[in-house]
Amino acid sequence: MANGTPERILLAHGGGGQLTNQLIRSHILPHLGNEALAPLGDSACLELGSASICFTTDSYVVKPLFFRGGDIGKLAVCGTINDLAVAGSRPLALTLSLIVEEGLEVHTLDRILESIGQTARQAGVSVVAGDTKTVERGSADGIFINTAGIGIRLPGVELGLDKFAVGDKVFINGTIGDHGLTIISQREGIRFESQLESDCAPLAGLTCMLLENVQGIRFMRDATRGGLAAVLNEMVEGSRLGIEIREADLPIKPVVQGAADVLGFDVLNVANEGKFVAVVAPEAAEKCLELCHAHELGRSARVIGEVVESRDLPLVELRTKIGGRRIVQMPYGRELPRIC
Ligand code: MG
């Protein structure tokens, strides 16, 4: 180990936390850096002729392949749609690449493909290109999936980390921790398993509706790997602003909190697959909430905090229920491997 950098790739390098960040900045960007990649957004925003598009890709290695509330196929469609959605675009089309391990039951593959088709139809996107590869037994774990997607940017929508101001409100469209705790409980065979359900869902319908009807939405990001903690830290990184959230306002299902307590997880660090965090102008918050509450994927939406001035470092702080304060750190990334 030199300079604290491990010599081999660790599972935590894929955890969406500090180590993923390090890998991207120290090893990927030096070779590939360019203007569209530089903001490290959920999607790249490109001008192609007269069209303004968002373009993104994501790979899915979740274990187990089927879980309460979804499966790897549904996840592969929703995850890419959500990265396009939070970048301010309306998803149009996906590609689908399957890497299948020798020995996977054809019936299992059929179930996954059925789920992919159904989720894509419901979300109004088409799978327009694809690829199928097989690898020897032992070279993969059943199936890995990659999807890429394009979306058309909504006219007049400009989202960016540079648009925040002190006093802006931070809101989330519903409960946190559901996806990650469902996966880990199912993997460990924990007794709450039957009451937990992943929140895996395509968010574009809700995000487009908000962006088309509310002025003053500054930024959105889906709170996937690394959970709410990672997203909030990414939002203030490199800025002179902080974010303060209130524990009492965090929407968490009691069964999710219970599972997290027993398994030793901080719900703030746990992945979601149907949640986005938005920073909005103070005067826009109420309208956003009202619209969210009328939408099936935003019924438990809440303002959870606000953008504050930061004295020296850009900090995310949690005001606890009993009036204390603690710093919400960027998770390291090793807590929950293969969660999506
Ligand atoms: Mg994302």
Side-chain angles (χ1 to χ4, degrees):
M1 193 183 277
N3 303 325
T5 307
E7 283 166 12
R8 291 177 190 269
I9 293 296
L10 308 174
L11 265 180
H13 278 114
Q18 288 177 33
L19 274 198
T20 305
N21 233 317
Q22 241 178 55
L23 186 71
I24 293 171
R25 291 181 195 280
S26 307
H27 296 274
I28 297 178
L29 289 184
H31 297 289
L32 305 178
N34 60 66
E35 212 178 296
L37 181 61
L40 297 179
D42 295 280
S43 296
C45 295
L46 304 171
E47 304 298 323
L48 294 184
S50 61
S52 197
I53 68 156
C54 288
F55 183 35
T56 193
T57 184
D58 221 319
S59 297
Y60 300 86
V61 298
V62 66
K63 178 183 181 174
L65 297 175
F66 298 88
F67 47 86
R68 283 181 65 87
D71 56 79
I72 190 170
K74 182 178 181 186
L75 201 59
V77 174
C78 294
T80 294
I81 285 178
N82 293 349
D83 277 339
L84 293 170
V86 295
S89 76
R90 184 181 298 285
L92 275 188
L94 302 180
T95 68
L96 172 72
S97 291
L98 307 174
I99 297 169
V100 188
E101 184 190 11
E102 176 187 19
L104 183 78
E105 289 175 5
V106 172
H107 170 68
T108 303
L109 181 62
D110 281 336
R111 281 175 67 198
I112 293 167
L113 289 166
E114 186 187 348
S115 173
I116 289 171
Q118 199 181 354
T119 311
R121 273 192 301 279
Q122 278 169 1
V125 299
S126 310
V127 175
V128 295
D131 179 51
T132 310
K133 294 284 188 326
T134 51
V135 293
E136 301 91 336
R137 212 177 280 269
S139 302
D141 194 359
I143 184 170
F144 298 148
I145 298 180
N146 172 277
T147 50
I150 58 166
I152 295 284
R153 285 179 79 184
L154 299 178
V157 170
E158 289 290 336
L159 303 174
L161 287 171
D162 52 343
K163 307 225 165 3
F164 294 11
V166 171
D168 283 354
K169 302 292 178 191
V170 178
F171 88 86
I172 188 157
N173 65 309
T175 56
I176 57 170
D178 300 70
H179 176 74
L181 281 155
T182 300
I183 300 290
I184 199 74
S185 299
Q186 205 163 317
R187 214 140 76 186
E188 310 264 314
I190 309 283
R191 65 189 161 84
F192 324 94
E193 196 195 297
S194 62
Q195 302 163 56
L196 291 165
E197 188 171 301
S198 167
D199 58 346
C200 180
L203 292 168
L206 177 55
T207 54
C208 288
M209 190 258 284
L210 289 175
L211 289 167
E212 282 169 343
N213 289 286
V214 187
Q215 297 286 318
I217 299 176
R218 322 270 208 211
F219 184 77
M220 300 194 291
R221 176 155 284 177
D222 52 341
T224 54
R225 287 174 306 174
L228 183 60
V231 174
L232 296 177
N233 274 284
E234 286 164 6
M235 284 180 175
V236 294
E237 194 186 4
S239 80
R240 302 192 70 84
L241 297 170
I243 290 178
E244 185 178 286
I245 55 172
R246 293 174 294 271
E247 189 178 24
D249 290 331
L250 293 177
I252 302 173
K253 287 179 189 153
V255 64
V256 166
Q257 186 63 61
D261 291 343
V262 167
L263 294 163
F265 289 105
D266 183 343
V267 183
L268 287 174
N269 297 347
V270 176
N272 310 280
E273 287 295 341
K275 295 295 148 38
F276 65 94
V277 181
V279 177
V280 304
E283 62 276 12
E286 203 164 314
K287 179 107 191 262
C288 281
L289 280 184
E290 196 182 297
L291 290 171
C292 274
H293 289 161
H295 191 281
E296 106 185 90
L297 297 176
R299 297 230 192 283
S300 315
R302 274 199 214 161
V303 171
I304 56 171
E306 53 217 11
V307 177
V308 295
E309 253 169 272
S310 185
R311 262 155 296 172
D312 29 25
L313 288 172
L315 279 188
V316 179
E317 278 196 293
L318 176 81
R319 193 131 46 92
T320 66
K321 286 177 184 162
I322 54 166
R325 285 172 175 278
R326 77 168 168 92
I327 293 172
V328 176
Q329 283 184 329
M330 183 70 161
Y332 186 69
R334 86 186 135 211
E335 299 87 353
L336 287 165
R338 297 191 50 189
I339 207 78
C340 57

